[in-house]
Structure formats: structure tokens, C-alpha cells
């Protein structure tokens, strides 16, 4: 059984990579979508930030772009070399990962524990659903932004291809109950299917630090869809 | 929605009290056992230590006994005024709560996150089931003990009276799946019923910090037994 520290999370992020930058995961490394009884890969997301091009320039300098350090499992997504500080009235966090590439809207994804450390109340939301979410000061090497409505606790989700969705009998946006089949098994009841074309998706369940530790998830833990709502 | 910091946990522990020290919770404050559809009270346990009389004396001085600060929901159990440090080869924790009264065996209950912070791997176990569990250096005001096989992650459990057990149709030691009916609902699948005479038990589910944050549990969150194994 393993427990997750921040270092572990960074190591896990580093592990979920491809050898060549920019390439989608090799087909043979994907779980066999044809067998829905096979458990789904579980990936643990540490706190991280997505930034717009404008905000990258404000934080790191005019003309600056995020530089890939490691590719992540979702095609095209990467852990960048850049790091930021997050600051609120009541707390701060240093050395927070920035994921690339740049997005249309700046977004900060935290665990409930992180939110408490920062002294803010933020909603559980799907990525991109930011209206009414939390505010945050983000500090980079060359500047600072006051990001309004950017901070959420990511609603737990499973990335899947349209082919995977057929196999698992779910649709994009569908709510599912999903078991983390660990030594301390837990069913998360409000997990959303995020279905994309296979060029843009890789079958994986994304959970946060709190969920990983509650279930004592380890590297080999698989997820199983137990109910479709 | 609330998230739990260590201060919150202390506040919650303080809240789950009786007005008079030593008294069992007033009958009218208990959930109505007669209606099993009514959710069960959820209490969040922060890391804490139970000590033998011998270890209390080693840590706090010859003849010393734990002194109650607040009574807890389980009859006779209390949060003491005493605090200890926990030390391992890889980390330490200060200001850790000691619960009373003294027990037959010294026991340290941690979350998976705590265990990672301390750099130890410890099993998920019911209270009292300590063979092969983790070792720990415990430091008090007047001394220090090297406690062998004392540290566990508490297996999630529901305390109930024999009367409650009849209503909920479970037996002592029975495994249950229990839903935390929060804004981010989660089912814990390996929860154990701990049934005692009504003079010794108060109906309440005990979860740890990781589970509370994974489910975004708040003060009003109730638990529902959804499966008996």
C-alpha cells in the first residue's frame, strides 16, 4: 500500500509520460478498450494550473511560452518546466505545477485539503466550468496576476475515446459511480465521462490527492464503473 | 461545503462533547435508532494517540494520569489536555492529541497522508489489532517511549449499540458499504460495525481526514448503510 506525498504526485506525473515530447501515447500502451471488465488506469492529479497565453506572458515575460518537461497521458498535454505561487488572503502555496499547452481560460485545480490550506471555499466543477469559482493571486518569475473565477476542485472524471465510450456504454458528460479497487476500496459516486476523439483522449480516470489517500490508491489500483446514472 | 484543516478537526472534536464530563451522551441527542432510513452521524477523527498507564507515566511523570479536556461522543472517552510528539526516522508531528482514558495497549491512529508525512507504511486496521503494525517514537513533556507495533490507519467503522445493530440489521464485526451523502458523495466499502452495550456506545460513523476531504464532508453530512457483506 502506498500513500501520496507531494513528491510522489510529482513522480507519478513524471511517470505518466511518453518518451518523445508531443507524441500521443503509443497504442499498445493503452488499456484494451475492447474488454470493459478490465479496470481503468487511475492517475492522481496534484494541484496544478492552466494558463492563457496572455497570463503566461504576464507571469513569465513578453513572448514567453510554456516549455514541456514531460508529456502527460492525455494527448498533447504536458507538465511544463514553469512553476507558480498561489496566494490568497489566508495562505499560499509555492512551486505549483503549470500544465501546458496554454488554454483559453486560466484555471487552478486544487484538492479540498489545498482549498482549506488557502482558506478559500471553491466549488467542485468540471474543467472549464468556472463561473462563480474561486479567485486567486498567481505569481510567476516575471509578474503577478489576479485571476478571478479560476479556482475549482476538479470533479472526478474519466477521459475516454468514443470507442472506449461504446465499450463502457456511456456518453460524454454521463455521471457514473466508479470503484477504486484498492486495499481500502471506495466508490466515487459523481464521476463524469469526458469523451473525445481518439486523437485527443487516452483512457484514464483522474482523481485528486484526497481521493487517492482516502482509498490508499497505489500504482496498480484500477477503476471499475459500477453504475451509470 | 467545508474542507477540513487540523484546526477544524480539533474544533469538531471539541464540538462532539457533552456538557458534563464523564456522562454518556443524553438520550435525546442520539439519532433515532428506530428509523434506519435516518442517516448516521459522521464524526471525523484527526490523528491521535491512546496510551497505557505505564506509557502515560513514562511520558508525563510517575503517578500521572490523563486529564479530560472534552468528553467525546463514545461514552467515557475523552480528549485529554495532554499532547505528544510523534517521531520516525523520516519525519515528525507535533501537538498530537491524546485520547483517554488509558488503555491496555498504546496505539497511534494516523491518516494515510500522515503516514506518508512520517515516511512509514502502516496497515489499515481496527483499533486494538496491532500485531505487525508500525513503530513510533512518542515524546511527552517528561519522557519518551519507543512504541513498537502501535501505529495504524484506523479501519473505518460505525459505533452502535446492540439496539442500533438490530435496527440496521448488522452484527458486531460486520462489513458494510456506507455512503457519505455529501456534495461529493462517496461510498466506503470496507466499513466495520462495532457493536457494544448502550452504556458503552453511541451511534456514530468514524472516518479520517482523507475520507472527509475526499467526500467534502461537512457538519451536516450523514452516512447511509447501502450494503451488508
Amino acid at each position: 500500500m502506498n500513500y501520496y506525498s507531494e513528491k510522489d504526485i510529482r513522480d507519478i506525473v513524471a511517470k505518466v509520460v511518453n518518451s518523445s515530447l508531443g507524441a500521443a501515447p503509443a497504442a499498445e500502451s493503452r488499456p484494451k478498450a475492447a474488454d470493459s471488465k478490465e479496470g481503468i488506469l487511475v492517475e492522481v492529479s496534484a494541484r496544478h494550473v492552466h494558463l492563457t497565453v496572455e497570463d503566461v506572458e504576464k507571469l513569465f515575460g513578453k513572448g514567453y511560452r510554456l516549455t514541456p518537461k514531460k508529456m502527460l497521458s492525455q494527448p498533447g498535454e504536458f507538465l511544463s518546466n514553469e512553476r507558480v505561487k498561489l496566494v490568497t488572503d489566508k495562505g499560499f502555496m509555492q512551486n505549483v505545477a503549470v500544465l501546458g499547452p496554454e488554454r483559453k481560460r486560466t484555471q487552478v485545480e486544487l484538492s479540498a485539503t489545498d482549498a482549506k490550506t488557502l482558506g478559500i471555499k471553491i466549488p467542485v466543477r468540471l474543467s472549464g466550468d468556472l463561473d462563480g469559482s474561486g479567485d486567486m493571486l498567481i505569481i510567476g518569475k516575471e509578474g503577478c496576476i489576479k485571476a478571478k473565477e479560476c479556482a475549482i476542485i476538479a470533479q472526478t472524471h474519466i477521459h475516454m475515446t468514443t470507442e472506449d465510450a461504446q465499450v463502457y456504454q456511456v456518453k460524454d458528460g454521463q455521471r457514473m459511480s466508479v470503484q477504486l479497487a484498492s486495499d481500502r476500496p471506495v466508490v466515487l459516486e459523481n464521476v463524469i465521462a469526458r469523451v473525445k476523439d481518439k486523437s485527443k483522449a487516452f483512457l484514464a480516470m483522474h482523481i485528486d490527492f484526497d481521493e487517492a489517500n482516502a482509498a490508499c490508491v497505489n500504482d496498480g489500483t484500477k477503476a471499475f464503473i459500477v453504475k451509470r446514472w
Side-chain angles (χ1 to χ4, degrees), chain A:
Chain A
M1 191 180 313
N2 289 327
Y3 321 112
Y4 287 89
S5 69
E6 296 187 36
K7 184 178 174 302
D8 289 330
I9 301 294
R10 285 199 299 277
D11 291 346
I12 287 164
V13 168
K15 211 180 265 180
V16 184
V17 300
N18 306 303
S19 51
S20 60
L21 290 182
E28 61 270 25
S29 75
R30 298 178 186 223
K32 288 172 209 155
D35 179 6
S36 66
K37 288 175 189 164
E38 190 172 340
I40 295 169
L41 175 72
V42 175
E43 295 180 342
V44 184
S45 297
R47 71 183 74 107
H48 64 268
V49 172
H50 300 281
L51 297 170
T52 63
V53 168
E54 295 71 28
D55 285 345
V56 168
E57 294 201 351
K58 284 177 191 163
L59 293 172
F60 297 101
K62 183 92 183 145
Y64 197 93
R65 293 295 178 273
L66 297 172
T67 58
K69 181 176 181 179
K70 296 279 186 186
M71 297 311 294
L72 302 178
S73 66
Q74 298 309 308
E77 298 282 311
F78 60 85
L79 172 68
S80 80
N81 290 298
E82 287 68 35
R83 297 271 159 164
V84 292
K85 287 189 181 66
L86 302 178
V87 182
T88 64
D89 289 345
K90 296 183 183 167
F92 69 96
M93 293 186 154
Q94 304 194 74
N95 205 32
V96 177
V98 180
L99 303 193
E102 291 80 356
R103 289 200 179 177
K104 288 183 182 168
R105 196 158 166 185
T106 288
Q107 177 171 304
V108 176
E109 296 181 40
L110 303 172
S111 69
T113 300
D114 293 336
K116 191 65 197 179
T117 302
L118 290 169
I120 54 173
K121 291 197 176 181
I122 56 176
V124 177
R125 291 280 183 81
L126 281 177
S127 187
D129 180 14
L130 297 175
D131 291 351
S133 65
D135 303 336
M136 184 82 55
L137 209 63
I138 306 176
I139 300 175
K141 267 193 173 177
E142 300 292 331
C144 170
I145 55 173
K146 192 162 184 174
K148 289 268 183 192
E149 296 184 307
C150 68
I152 59 172
I153 297 169
Q155 185 161 4
T156 314
H157 51 276
I158 300 180
H159 291 285
M160 49 174 73
T161 67
T162 46
E163 185 195 7
D164 296 326
Q166 280 184 340
V167 171
Y168 288 98
Q169 300 165 47
V170 297
K171 294 181 177 175
D172 185 44
Q174 179 151 9
R175 181 180 163 197
M176 306 166 288
S177 290
V178 181
Q179 184 200 44
L180 301 172
S182 63
D183 288 348
R184 203 189 194 193
V186 162
V187 175
L188 305 176
E189 290 204 317
N190 201 1
V191 179
I192 304 297
R194 308 220 71 176
V195 181
K196 290 181 182 168
D197 179 80
K198 69 178 175 181
S199 68
K200 293 180 182 168
F202 175 74
L203 182 62
M205 179 171 185
H206 283 186
I207 65 172
D208 72 16
F209 209 135
D210 290 332
E211 293 164 327
N213 282 343
C216 293
V217 162
N218 65 24
D219 284 353
T221 300
K222 298 288 186 189
F224 296 87
I225 300 168
V226 294
K227 190 170 178 183
R228 294 155 185 82
W229 299 81

